[in-house]
Amino acid sequence: ISSGSGTIFRIIGLWNRSRGENMLDSGAPFYDTYQTSDGQFMAVGAIEPQFYKQLLKGLELDAGELPSQMSFDDWPELRRIFTERFASKSQAEWSEIFDGTDACVTPVLSFDQVSSHPHNRERGSFMKDSSGEESPRPAPVLSRTPAEPCLTSDPVTGEHTAEVLQEYGFTSPQINQMLSAGVIECNAVKAKL
């Protein structure tokens, strides 16, 4: 948060408590992660009232029986309730419950799971380069002028050293001398000295 935003948040009472006790730093029970029965996690970001209402609906909780969402003093009790509720089902079960809702609840995925998640597959959020390495697609994806990412592998350290030095006027003997002295690194397979 920028210093300007921090000042505003302090003024309106959203960032005036100790670290970990404010709305956006895991203090709010409706803006945090929770462990599921299978040891996985769900991320919750239901700040706005309409999203919070959907969160409670998915958790099968009655807002009338709970402390007010913005009652800071009741956050520990609300967190206890959410913690118990999320621990009662697996990540897959919670994902099914919250999928397609506006509850702002999503599974926390491992690096191995993220590219195969249906949301990311549908949007083409990941791509493979020519060597099969997977990486995130550049963002944002613009509808009228989408970027065409380069699918070649990233260069290895020293792959283009000789070419670049030659472009700057260094001779092959000078480049070999720098290589021998350990000043530069050169990928021997790619270098043409």
Side-chain angles (χ1 to χ4, degrees):
I1 295 176
S2 70
S3 60
S5 298
T7 301
I8 292 169
F9 282 178
R10 280 193 301 276
I11 291 169
I12 63 174
L14 297 180
W15 204 279
N16 57 357
R17 298 170 175 265
S18 299
R19 182 180 297 181
E21 296 178 6
N22 300 284
M23 185 180 306
L24 300 179
D25 68 352
S26 76
F30 48 86
Y31 197 81
D32 205 352
T33 58
Y34 291 92
Q35 191 167 21
T36 58
S37 65
D38 57 353
Q40 302 296 312
F41 290 86
M42 296 297 289
V44 177
I47 296 174
E48 292 88 344
Q50 69 273 22
F51 303 139
Y52 184 73
K53 181 179 177 182
Q54 292 296 310
L55 166 66
L56 296 184
K57 181 180 177 184
L59 292 174
E60 297 179 344
L61 295 171
D62 182 355
E65 297 175 7
L66 297 173
S68 168
Q69 177 186 5
M70 293 302 175
S71 175
F72 297 105
D73 293 336
D74 291 317
W75 280 0
E77 175 62 11
L78 201 52
R79 178 177 306 286
R80 184 192 64 73
I81 293 167
F82 288 179
T83 299
E84 286 178 7
R85 191 55 60 110
F86 274 106
S88 71
K89 296 183 189 304
S90 70
Q91 184 187 64
E93 291 172 303
W94 286 120
S95 294
E96 187 175 327
I97 288 168
F98 287 109
D99 188 39
T101 71
D102 283 336
C104 301
V105 177
T106 58
V108 176
L109 303 174
S110 70
F111 285 116
D112 294 334
Q113 297 169 315
V114 73
S115 66
S116 63
H117 188 272
H119 173 88
N120 293 328
R121 277 201 328 257
E122 181 180 324
R123 285 155 185 78
S125 299
F126 290 83
M127 59 187 199
K128 289 186 180 183
D129 65 19
S130 59
S131 65
E133 290 294 319
E134 198 167 52
S135 62
R137 179 174 296 283
V141 177
L142 306 173
S143 60
R144 290 187 313 192
T145 57
E148 290 298 326
C150 177
L151 297 178
T152 59
S153 298
D154 290 339
V156 295
T157 302
E159 183 175 337
H160 300 107
T161 302
E163 294 166 350
V164 170
L165 290 172
Q166 286 172 345
E167 286 177 21
Y168 280 96
F170 288 91
T171 64
S172 290
Q174 289 172 317
I175 294 170
N176 284 332
Q177 184 180 10
M178 286 187 277
L179 184 60
S180 297
V183 174
I184 62 169
E185 187 172 334
C186 216
N187 182 326
V189 174
K190 299 287 182 180
K192 296 177 183 173
L193 299 177

